[in-house]
Amino acid sequence: MKKKIALITGVTGQDGAYLANLLLNKGYKVYGTYRRSSSLNLWRLEELGILESVELLSLELLEKSNIERVIKLIKPDEFYNLAAQSFVSLSFENPIYTAQADALGVLKILESIRMIDKKIKFYQASSSEMFGEGDLKKLNENSLFHPRSPYAISKVFGHHITVNYREAYGIFACSGILFNHESPLRGIEFVTRKITSTLAEIRAGRKKVLELGNIYAKRDWGYAGDFVEGIWKMIQNDKPKDYVLATGEEHSVKEFATLAAKLIGFNLVWKGKKFNEYAIDKDTKKIIIKKNMGYYRPSDVSLLKGDPTNAINNLNWKPKIKFKDLVKIMVESDKKKSLKGKILQ
Ligand code: NAP
Ligand code: GDD
């Protein structure tokens, strides 16, 4: 039987690498795109041992001709759009670029699919950030959007245009509204990996202090390996439909940092209040974590917690890794990396 052909934009990112691994294990021919302008960022594919198995093609989301070239060349059965400027903080500094990549980039792909081959199944990486601030209950597919950053607003456009191309042109297009998911392959700019990598470096004596912003922000953190399974299941569904993927649990940044520090071997005690809050190691009396107002965002989202009931009931999907195990997996990986040398990624 002919192998199914999958195209993953953003294969050099966290989810791209895990999804490529999953699809290779399922017998797909996997093509992944990278940005020629960036310094090649293949460490995740290397860590998973799949660099040789994924066919790499250059693609810049802002260039519609790049998208058309790749679709015409490989004729994919399934198109997973994971590429994006995905760092919320950076979207405040580069709002126009973020909108061009994360909003118009999606439209460019959908237009290309519509013009070249409407039978290609399309997945769009939507985000829980689209819900933003407001609803303190568990968020599901029907909850209102109140996006709080240029990133989230761009993702709302990407989400709605995906729904529109499904309704208007009958394209099998679906959108996964994914809550935060992390792993040892997470970029070090995101708070979970920043915490585990910096604490490991402090333990190894190469860094002194971990500086954080809003430690009272709460997120619903799952494991990326579990979430890419849900992404694939959405595309295998009988009908295209959008789903929330989440664990249904909330934890604060402070909780994550305290647990990670304990697992790394620090005995933390928190002191001070509000902007002067810090944590010392009881044994050495040294400051290990302190606040840095520079990491606060112009507008943040204080709590995100999802309700994955629809995905559980209709996709037979379930997050397997729990919060404590997630922190442990990330700490163990960064401890190992820091023992081998400086953590760079
Ligand atoms: P990531 O690690 O930041 O990966 C993003 C990928 O997009 C990288 O491969 C990056 O390439 C590529 N990219 C960025 N700008 C591009 C452009 N202009 N043209 C082509 N490629 C570009 O993100 P992730 O955590 O894997 O997330 C995957 C997707 O899911 C993103 O769309 C993100 O917004 C969304 N999402 C993530 C989460 C989460 O918690 N991880 C939750 C909800 C939604 P380089 O390697 O060259 O930078
Ligand atoms: N990055 C970062 N660095 N965040 C910090 C820090 C810090 O030093 N200190 C506190 N935070 C807080 C942020 O203010 C935010 O409230 C929370 O930690 C999580 O920040 P990130 O890890 O950067 O993730 P995010 O929730 O903004 O965005 C991620 O999840 C979204 C899904 O909800 C990204 O992966 C997005 O691409 C994704 O869509």
Side-chain angles (χ1 to χ4, degrees):
M1 210 172 79
K2 188 181 156 273
K3 278 187 171 193
K4 269 195 193 170
I5 298 173
L7 175 63
I8 304 172
T9 64
V11 81
T12 56
Q14 171 189 261
D15 292 6
Y18 282 115
L19 181 65
N21 196 30
L22 178 90
L23 297 180
L24 286 168
N25 287 332
K26 290 190 181 293
Y28 280 69
K29 172 89 185 151
V30 178
Y31 292 87
T33 74
Y34 68 97
R35 287 190 284 179
R36 184 160 278 168
S37 54
S38 65
S39 51
L40 256 187
N41 176 22
L42 301 174
W43 66 274
R44 294 182 174 96
L45 300 177
E46 272 168 7
E47 277 202 20
L48 294 180
I50 57 171
L51 182 54
E52 304 302 321
S53 314
V54 176
E55 295 278 344
L56 292 171
L57 298 163
S58 72
L59 181 146
E60 166 54 63
L61 265 186
L62 271 55
E63 300 288 347
K64 187 162 179 280
S65 63
N66 286 198
I67 299 166
E68 290 166 353
R69 166 177 49 77
V70 167
I71 293 179
K72 284 178 182 161
L73 183 73
I74 70 160
K75 302 181 176 58
D77 298 297
E78 299 173 7
F79 190 130
Y80 297 89
N81 181 36
L82 306 187
Q85 190 305 92
S86 74
F87 190 30
V88 175
S89 279
L90 184 63
S91 77
F92 288 100
E93 280 169 47
N94 295 348
I96 295 167
Y97 168 72
T98 301
Q100 278 167 347
D102 298 7
L104 288 184
V106 186
L107 177 54
K108 285 173 186 161
I109 296 173
L110 285 164
E111 252 313 85
S112 304
I113 289 178
R114 182 172 82 86
M115 300 308 287
I116 298 169
D117 180 2
K118 284 203 293 185
K119 288 193 297 303
I120 297 170
K121 291 181 168 184
F122 176 73
Y123 172 83
Q124 167 58 13
S126 286
S127 165
S128 53
E129 272 289 306
M130 300 187 306
F131 296 121
E133 203 69 6
D135 199 337
L136 297 180
K137 294 191 295 285
K138 283 191 183 178
L139 299 152
N140 65 25
E141 294 80 2
N142 299 318
S143 303
L144 288 181
F145 295 151
H146 180 172
R148 298 259 296 166
S149 63
Y151 166 81
I153 291 160
S154 306
K155 283 286 180 180
V156 170
F157 178 90
H159 181 79
H160 285 311
I161 201 71
T162 300
V163 175
N164 180 243
Y165 269 59
R166 176 169 78 217
E167 292 175 353
Y169 305 114
I171 292 172
F172 190 111
C174 45
S175 180
I177 308 175
L178 273 52
F179 283 65
N180 300 49
H181 44 281
E182 320 291 312
S183 74
L185 302 188
R186 188 62 144 148
I188 48 171
E189 62 276 28
F190 300 97
V191 77
T192 55
R193 182 83 204 294
K194 177 178 173 180
I195 292 170
T196 58
S197 64
T198 310
L199 289 176
E201 290 288 75
I202 297 174
R203 199 68 187 153
R206 281 191 293 268
K207 279 191 183 162
K208 288 204 162 63
V209 181
L210 165 63
E211 296 188 355
L212 293 173
N214 177 12
I215 57 174
Y216 290 101
K218 290 181 176 168
R219 291 289 183 275
D220 176 334
W221 280 298
Y223 173 58
D226 288 343
F227 280 50
V228 296
E229 186 99 36
I231 291 176
W232 175 75
K233 285 188 166 181
M234 278 181 226
I235 289 290
Q236 311 315 308
N237 223 355
D238 295 342
K239 288 197 179 130
K241 220 174 155 229
D242 310 322
Y243 285 96
V244 157
L245 299 185
T247 71
E249 279 184 29
E250 66 183 71
H251 297 276
S252 68
V253 172
K254 186 174 179 180
E255 227 180 309
F256 190 107
T258 307
L259 177 58
K262 188 170 168 213
L263 293 171
I264 268 172
F266 294 114
N267 197 358
L268 284 195
V269 185
W270 286 91
K271 297 191 176 275
K273 283 213 168 84
K274 286 201 165 172
F275 306 130
N276 294 319
E277 210 170 348
Y278 59 98
I280 59 162
D281 179 25
K282 229 178 177 178
D283 305 328
T284 61
K285 307 281 182 277
K286 283 187 180 160
I287 294 180
I288 303 296
I289 305 177
K290 69 177 185 189
K291 280 264 187 89
N292 179 338
M293 296 306 291
Y295 291 115
Y296 274 72
R297 296 171 183 177
S299 49
D300 200 358
V301 175
S302 52
L303 165 68
L304 286 175
K305 182 164 62 170
D307 175 3
T309 304
N310 280 327
I312 291 170
N313 292 341
N314 303 324
L315 295 178
N316 193 24
W317 175 83
K318 213 176 166 181
K320 297 184 196 97
I321 304 277
K322 295 274 176 206
F323 176 73
K324 279 188 183 158
D325 292 322
L326 173 67
V327 182
K328 201 166 162 206
I329 292 168
M330 293 178 71
V331 163
E332 289 303 324
S333 165
D334 277 329
K335 249 165 95 177
K336 216 189 268 172
K337 281 182 186 167
S338 76
L339 287 177
K340 283 193 197 152
K342 209 171 170 198
I343 299 175
L344 296 172
Q345 297 132 341

